[in-house]
Amino acid sequence: MQITSHDRLIYREREYHLDQSPLEAYLVSLGRPVDLFGRCAAWRGYVATWTVDDGWLFLTSIAGSWADGSSLRIEQLFPVAGVRAFAAWHSGRLHAYRSDLPGGTQAAARAPDLTLDTFCGRIQSSSMIHRPKLRVVNGQAATGFELLISKHPLKALETEV
């Protein structure tokens, strides 16, 4: 698995990249600095995976290292949580972008594909933008308009991603 700098969110069986880092508020609430070593691509030293399950936000995995080089695990941050931790500390808005569309979170002008409002880890509301599947023509991303004006649309190698 490739580690990216953004947290991942699994929502309705689709993967998104988060703009926010919900775990940061919990780490600050510990009252002590967490001694993480930034061996992954994230500036904060870890990348977390979040899952929405039946309207509740859970931390389901974390990739990172402590300063001594040992692997960071959920059980170390949440001793009684088990394999996943309920995000009861998180209240606020999460913006997420589909990971299967070009640009990801780099597309600053693009509206988020998914917005979740949470209160104490419970999803209060959600809004989703439904974007069409990405079409690839001759190895490049193409919109429906580009397909329409193509000189030889029948000869173009078209695949859906």
Side-chain angles (χ1 to χ4, degrees):
M1 178 182 93
Q2 179 183 0
I3 297 177
T4 61
S5 60
H6 295 280
D7 284 359
R8 294 176 43 219
L9 172 71
I10 309 300
Y11 181 75
R12 295 187 179 170
E13 300 178 10
R14 179 169 278 168
E15 183 178 323
Y16 296 86
H17 295 287
L18 282 174
D19 263 354
Q20 296 80 14
S21 303
L23 187 57
E24 287 299 308
Y26 176 76
L27 296 177
V28 168
S29 75
L30 292 177
R32 62 175 173 80
V34 177
D35 197 14
L36 297 175
F37 179 66
R39 280 190 353 198
C40 65
W43 60 269
R44 60 193 186 275
Y46 68 89
V47 175
T49 300
W50 304 86
T51 302
V52 174
D53 186 7
D54 198 26
W56 302 92
L57 182 64
F58 290 94
L59 173 64
T60 52
S61 74
I62 190 164
S65 299
W66 294 102
D68 66 2
S70 62
S71 293
L72 176 63
R73 296 188 325 267
I74 292 175
E75 299 84 20
Q76 294 166 323
L77 294 174
F78 304 94
V80 296
V83 296
R84 68 182 190 167
F86 170 56
W89 68 89
H90 188 270
S91 292
R93 181 166 285 172
L94 295 173
H95 295 116
Y97 297 84
R98 278 183 39 192
S99 60
D100 62 338
L101 292 178
T105 55
Q106 304 302 318
R110 190 175 98 193
D113 297 304
L114 175 66
T115 301
L116 299 175
D117 289 315
T118 65
F119 181 73
C120 296
R122 178 74 172 150
I123 306 301
Q124 299 294 306
S125 67
S126 65
S127 66
M128 185 180 298
I129 295 175
H130 296 281
R131 299 185 194 276
K133 285 188 175 183
L134 173 66
R135 291 189 174 275
V136 178
V137 177
N138 295 332
Q140 295 186 355
T143 64
F145 181 72
E146 290 165 334
L147 293 172
L148 183 64
I149 62 171
S150 173
K151 288 183 179 180
H152 304 286
L154 296 178
K155 292 182 182 177
L157 174 62
E158 182 180 327
T159 59
E160 283 192 9
V161 177

